[in-house]
Amino acid sequence: MMKILVIGALSTASIYFAQTYPVSAIPENLKKNADVVIRKDFTTVLINKIDEIKYQYNTVTTVLNKDGDSKALIYIPYKKGDNISDVKVTVYDESGKKVKSFSKSDFGDFANNAQGVFYSDNRILALSYTSAYYPYTVDFSYQRTDENTIFIPDFVPFSSPNESLEEAQFKIINKSGIDLRTKTYPSKYNYTSVSIADNGNEKTYSYKNVPAIDDVLMLPKPEKILPKVSFALAKFNLEGKQGTLNNWTDFGTWYYTNLVEPVSASTPAIKAEVAALKLAGSTEDKVKKLYQYMQSKTRYIFVGLGIGGWLPMFPEEVQKKGYGDCKGLTNYMKTLLNEAGIPSHYCVINSSSSQISFDPDFPSMGGNHAILMVPTEKGNIWLENTSQQTAFNHLDYSTTDRNVLAVTKKGIELINTPTYTAEQNREKQILKINLTEDNSINGEIQFAYTGSQYDNNLPYTYLSPKERIEAMKKRFDVLNFEKVEMKDFVNDKDHAVVKFTMDFKANNYSKTTGENLIFRAVPIFTNNYYKSDENRELPFEVGQSFEDEYEIDFIIPKNYKIDEVPENVTVNSEFGTYKLTVLKNGESLKVTRFIKVNKGIFPKEKYNDYVSFRKKTLNGDNSKILLTKI
């Protein structure tokens, strides 16, 4: 009897290990809205000493469909000096049966340089695997040893919509004797929570059964929805340079001493550059002249070799070579200002379409970009140094409305970047349009853009005339263009305004009904589709405030008169304001259209109210005007 029991147990174990991750074992709620299900995401962090930290990773991901392939890529980012070991990959089919296994020798080793990267230490081990069948499961594990202990990754459930999580665990074992600070940031929307087991120098954080975030319209970034845990050692190492991280003052002093001051020396050539510019006028005038001079002679590249991932290039090197990354160009600009007797602050920032700020109460190394701030009596001047086209004292939507780490001799000061109002994020259109009996229209449109709308139109500066025409046709596809000519393009870098004029002809704008013509009051408008959602599960976000104003003059064809025009429309809402007015004047017709939309994250219960507001604006834009033949 005992033999039978043992044999039965072994058989059961054999079946279990042969089918470790059957898809049938995934709870149904985790399949909803998911392209992939993270079955297991276990990370163990072993902090041995100030300059040695070991990571052990093990993720098991089930790919449910083709859209999930990109969320289950098999790769290991690393840099020279890291030790990568114990690399194992096993692929299972739907039933949990092993299909194939791989080791480190099956991986390719590549430079991990994105477009615009000139040279860096960043590399990547990558395994190319394509499954012919769905679903499939990838079990991926490896170890990495790093001498840099300044960065310990945040613990979050996942980073993208349409991923769900069965179980995640982040175990951190601190044998270094150095104080480890942690901070838990709960989900503002109670989406899920983290469990914590504290055993002295060993702490374990975990998430379980986190459903996927559906990638619905106007969804805030996952980092605004999900919880996270952050970590920071009180003492750290960065490429052989050690420091303390108890507060922003300590860290700022270390940052300035090790990463700013060593590369701050000027040269006779730089002194001569500044002297040759013969600066005069106000501080703002001098800064503008220096900034636009710097833009005219430099271009952006990325440098990430060793400490160069954080230490700027020497200003002399940028001055001679005419290129640098965000750190090097910012440092060069700072040196030019120093020679002019104008103090400035090197600033570290989180550059992203989602506003991410540093926590004043939890000092840590972070940020992915460097900019410059020049304090003046009239206010701070902000300089984005990587673009040859960006206007003076203008930050784009990826760096506004958040704080920076301003690095000074006395430490780090957290300073807020500008927040642009709807009035500043402005579009102005002036349209002069001729209506014809063949249902086409032709005419001229003058465009002007400021604020974040300036940013949206800045890419035109990099296009050829032909490319601009194609871009205009695609952008304003609500019109059936026969001809488009874009002219008088101006990037006003003194005032952050993009202006241009478009001559055009578009067919099938009006419709013939008998001997009458009927047409839309607003030629160019957003044709976004807004649909109510009674089952909305998460808040929605309007990322940028903006304001649009159109002045439209229609010239009607001879032998026609204006018969019917729509009522004037006014819509007021917490989400914004819309106004449409129509004025008859003999053989001409003047339409003015104004819309203002407010930014913010709004509760899910108000989503349908927002949809109602936008539908009313679309209805206004689609108001019809009737011409009758005389």
Side-chain angles (χ1 to χ4, degrees), residues 523-540:
I524 293 178
F525 70 104
T526 175
N527 57 349
N528 290 345
Y529 179 69
Y530 297 95
K531 183 180 179 181
S532 299
D533 185 355
E534 301 300 333
N535 300 310
R536 181 92 185 190
E537 296 178 344
L538 288 168
F540 64 99

Side-chain angles (χ1 to χ4, degrees), residues 5-16:
L5 289 174
V6 170
I7 292 170
L10 289 173
S11 299
T12 302
S14 177
I15 292 170
Y16 176 78

Side-chain angles (χ1 to χ4, degrees), residues 514-580:
E515 293 188 326
N516 301 330
L517 293 178
I518 188 168
F519 60 94
R520 191 173 64 241
V522 179
I524 293 178
F525 70 104
T526 175
N527 57 349
N528 290 345
Y529 179 69
Y530 297 95
K531 183 180 179 181
S532 299
D533 185 355
E534 301 300 333
N535 300 310
R536 181 92 185 190
E537 296 178 344
L538 288 168
F540 64 99
E541 181 175 21
V542 180
Q544 292 287 336
S545 301
F546 66 88
E547 181 178 289
D548 296 345
E549 184 179 357
Y550 300 173
E551 296 179 5
I552 310 161
D553 286 311
F554 287 103
I555 306 299
I556 68 173
K558 293 180 179 179
N559 304 321
Y560 280 84
K561 67 176 182 178
I562 302 168
D563 194 341
E564 294 182 14
V565 297
E567 296 285 336
N568 292 340
V569 178
T570 299
V571 181
N572 291 311
S573 163
E574 68 175 301
F575 309 111
T577 303
Y578 175 85
K579 293 181 180 179
L580 183 76

Side-chain angles (χ1 to χ4, degrees), residues 414-433:
L414 275 72
I415 301 174
N416 292 328
T417 61
T419 298
Y420 295 146
T421 63
E423 291 77 12
Q424 290 171 305
N425 298 330
R426 195 165 189 267
E427 175 191 34
K428 180 67 180 286
Q429 288 187 18
I430 299 177
L431 302 88
K432 298 186 183 301
I433 293 177

Side-chain angles (χ1 to χ4, degrees), residues 33 35-38 41 59 61 68 70-73 75 153-166 168 191-192 207 210-215 219-228 352-354 356 538:
N33 301 323
D35 297 325
V36 300
V37 180
I38 304 169
D41 184 1
T59 59
T61 306
S70 62
K71 299 176 187 292
L73 299 177
Y75 66 94
D154 291 339
F155 180 45
V156 295
F158 42 75
S159 58
S160 303
N162 305 122
E163 295 182 36
S164 65
L165 172 69
E166 201 163 344
Y191 197 80
T192 190
Y207 303 104
V210 184
I213 295 175
D214 192 15
D215 194 10
L219 178 74
K221 296 290 185 181
E223 59 259 34
K224 295 186 178 182
I225 297 170
L226 297 168
K228 73 172 181 178
S352 167
S353 58
S354 183
I356 301 174
L538 288 168

